[in-house]
Amino acid sequence: MSEQNIDDKELGEQIVRVLKTIYDPEIPVDIYELGLIYDVMINPQREVKILMTLTTPNCPVAETLPVEVEEKVKSIDQVKTAMVEITFDPPWNNEMISDEAKLELGML
């Protein structure tokens, strides 16, 4: 494995740690464990694209949550730019919540 790949893996882990600091205001669980993050893509120029969803299309934080995600990921030194793309395909459902979060929410 080249040093570049190790760096990408470490950067990916750092991005996930940052995503785990962002919480849905209606559910006391971070957006990563809620299953709102579908994909994190990092290109060789360290431009990050995050594919995410919201719990509903009418989510009260639809305007602010993607901006918060972009700003927090951009704050990582190694990240050149960050862009969030919102999708509702597939639509989010509570099966996407991690077992850890389900336990925290009393769903297990």
Side-chain angles (χ1 to χ4, degrees):
M1 187 179 272
S2 75
E3 190 173 320
Q4 177 77 23
N5 289 340
I6 293 169
D7 288 345
D8 285 349
K9 183 176 185 235
E10 289 173 6
L11 181 57
E13 290 169 357
Q14 193 173 359
I15 290 168
V16 168
R17 282 194 299 274
V18 166
L19 294 172
K20 287 184 172 196
T21 69
I22 303 169
Y23 285 78
D24 183 295
E26 298 178 322
I27 306 169
V29 173
D30 70 76
I31 63 171
Y32 190 83
E33 296 297 333
L34 264 181
L36 298 181
I37 303 299
Y38 287 170
D39 201 359
V40 176
M41 296 153 275
I42 307 166
N43 73 14
Q45 292 76 37
R46 303 285 198 228
E47 297 165 333
V48 176
K49 180 178 177 183
I50 298 167
L51 185 63
M52 69 176 284
T53 194
L54 302 169
T55 51
T56 68
N58 300 328
C59 181
V61 292
E63 299 294 319
T64 58
L65 191 59
V67 173
E68 181 181 359
V69 170
E70 282 181 3
E71 287 176 355
K72 287 197 173 177
V73 171
K74 274 189 226 176
S75 74
I76 299 170
D77 288 342
Q78 296 86 348
V79 172
K80 183 178 177 186
T81 64
M83 184 190 96
V84 170
E85 181 180 327
I86 300 293
T87 185
F88 292 100
D89 183 27
W92 180 87
N93 65 65
N94 63 10
E95 292 300 312
M96 296 173 170
I97 301 173
S98 72
D99 287 345
E100 178 184 315
K102 285 179 180 176
L103 189 61
E104 194 174 316
L105 293 168
M107 295 171 69
L108 285 180

